[in-house]
Amino acid sequence: MRLHETSRLAYGRVMTSRPAHIAMFSIAAHGHVNPSLEVIRELVARGHRVTYAIPPALADKAAATGAEVKPWHSTLPGPDDDPSAWGDTLLDHVELFLADAVQALPQLLDAYEGDEPDLVLHDITAYPARVLARRWGVPAISLSPNLVAWEGYEEEVAEPLWEEPRRTERGQAYYARFHAWLEENGITEHPDSFVGRPARSLVLIPRALQPNADRVDETVYTFVGACQGDRAGEGGWTRPAGAEKVVLVSLGSAFTDRPDFYRECVRAFGELPGWHLVLQIGRHVDPAALGAVPENVEVATWVPQLAILKQADLFVTHAGAGGSQEGLATATPMIAVPQAVDQFGNADVLQALGVARRVPAAEATAGTLRETALALVGDPEVARRLEAVRAAMAEEGGTRRAADLVEAELTRRRSRAGV
């Protein structure tokens, strides 16, 4: 058994008497913050001082874990901004992240001056965190909210994706800026490996959601699965009396400006006898844009998703990492209608597992959604596969195992330092 797999019991007495300062870094995006919140809460509960560097838009979420917030200004689009602010191309996205990292680093250096941590935790998008950890000489652990690179990833995915952008003047300028920023901070690593190949990573998704999981380097990446805690603070939900089937439709928190899709969902499920539809539409769509809805359709800007999934018969999802694993954790059949980024890959994995059907957004008509739903719900093979995945997820350890592994890294550092 590797040292980082050693249970918390071996270190509990040491860590109880020797709390550490752990610094967490993230951007203000729900999909990047939510997956790790319970890990932070658990570390605080174990007596560690945890500081959380995050823009004000999601500072309350971080503070609710018991962590001490260190706010900083971000130039990235916020969680309530129009998703179009991210642009349409690969270069649009990566340029935003690099520009934000460059301007954030001085802020974070000031925020932590004289208060350097013993260990850094960071979201995959928090580039300054790895620079700071190198400068402070402390371990850094990536908390990945989605899939990670496998052996062969660069050749199979990254190189084809970047082939054309790298040939452009704009793409070359991006890499030149990134190289220069890293070199200014004493880092000679190539930008691609700096972003995509952390020295250590805890993967906050089930192994079942990871493409080519058998080719992932497990000396670097440890799958701890979904880190779900008590969601009572999000509110509850009661299944309506007489609802024979309940379907939840949610496209997450970012790519929600899809009124045409929501209208198709109303037509698909609002006319099905015995079905009840819970439709989360986000902040960018006016409920009036849906027109008159039947009594069996419940429309909301936001819903307590996990509470509903525990009672639902079907989940129509964009296949984001968070929603996908909540569907798996509750053994809910899914219709995956991916909208952007990693959602397409997640949808493919869910379909390959036999627990979902992928429907391209352009084909998500009322008829197709209804036909797909009726084929999924009640299928005994789908139910069997969902239960098998849920059982495997339960063995991954979740929040407590993630916290154990963070503490093990702290113990190793102290042992090396002879403390």
Side-chain angles (χ1 to χ4, degrees), residues 375-395:
L376 273 172
V377 175
D379 184 327
E381 180 60 16
V382 172
R384 184 192 69 77
R385 294 189 179 206
L386 280 163
E387 286 299 336
V389 173
R390 177 159 64 175
M393 287 174 64
E395 296 296 318

Side-chain angles (χ1 to χ4, degrees), residues 8-29:
R8 175 180 175 236
L9 295 177
Y11 303 107
R13 184 167 51 193
V14 174
M15 295 312 303
T16 299
S17 60
R18 297 286 308 283
H21 174 193
I22 300 168
M24 174 66 191
F25 297 81
S26 187
I27 61 170

Side-chain angles (χ1 to χ4, degrees), residues 327-391:
L328 293 175
T330 55
T332 308
M334 287 170 273
I335 297 177
V337 187
Q339 305 293 308
V341 291
D342 64 323
Q343 298 158 20
F344 300 100
N346 293 338
D348 288 340
V349 171
L350 291 171
Q351 181 162 274
L353 288 171
V355 301
R357 300 290 182 271
R358 175 178 172 175
V359 176
E363 300 174 19
T365 62
T368 298
L369 291 170
R370 188 184 305 116
E371 180 182 354
T372 306
L374 294 174
L376 273 172
V377 175
D379 184 327
E381 180 60 16
V382 172
R384 184 192 69 77
R385 294 189 179 206
L386 280 163
E387 286 299 336
V389 173
R390 177 159 64 175

Side-chain angles (χ1 to χ4, degrees), residues 233-258:
E234 295 181 354
W237 185 82
T238 302
R239 185 181 178 116
E244 298 173 17
K245 302 293 181 186
V246 169
V247 52
L248 169 64
V249 175
S250 171
L251 298 181
S253 59
F255 299 94
T256 60
D257 191 7
R258 303 290 190 267

Side-chain angles (χ1 to χ4, degrees), residues 15 65 86 128 131 139 157-158 170 196 203 215 255 264 275 291 300 312 392:
M15 295 312 303
T65 66
W86 287 96
V131 173
V157 178
R170 181 182 173 192
V203 190
R215 287 195 275 153
F255 299 94
E264 293 297 321
W275 284 64

